[in-house]
Amino acid sequence: AEVLMTYEGIIPALESSHALACAVREVGHLAKGEGILVNLSGRGDKDIFTFADVWEDDGWNQFIKQKSDRIQ
């Protein structure tokens, strides 16, 4: 999920993030010319606070807090 957020600006839902993690784990077992397709679904923006808790990144948490303070 973090790679997609950083490089593509896509926030996958937690369910899709699990599928991505499995794909990354399995990619080393593929034969040359094989690939993996992962379908992204849902809205990861609803899970943004969960991501912040898991990553324990002070900069990210501060960013999320500032954004949520603006909304409230």
Side-chain angles (χ1 to χ4, degrees):
E2 188 173 8
V3 171
L4 279 179
M5 286 186 213
T6 302
Y7 294 103
E8 301 294 334
I10 298 170
I11 305 172
L14 289 176
E15 300 82 2
S16 296
S17 296
H18 287 99
L20 288 168
C22 288
V24 169
R25 187 174 52 237
E26 294 299 318
V27 77
H29 303 292
L30 297 178
K32 186 173 183 167
E34 290 184 319
I36 296 176
L37 176 67
V38 177
N39 183 31
L40 299 179
S41 62
R43 289 187 32 219
D45 60 324
K46 66 181 175 33
D47 302 316
I48 206 72
F49 295 104
T50 303
F51 284 120
D53 288 341
V54 170
W55 286 334
E56 297 179 352
D57 180 306
D58 290 336
W60 177 252
N61 287 330
Q62 187 175 33
F63 171 77
I64 294 300
K65 181 171 176 11
Q66 288 172 349
K67 293 296 182 181
S68 67
D69 287 346
R70 285 171 144 184
I71 295 170
Q72 296 175 358

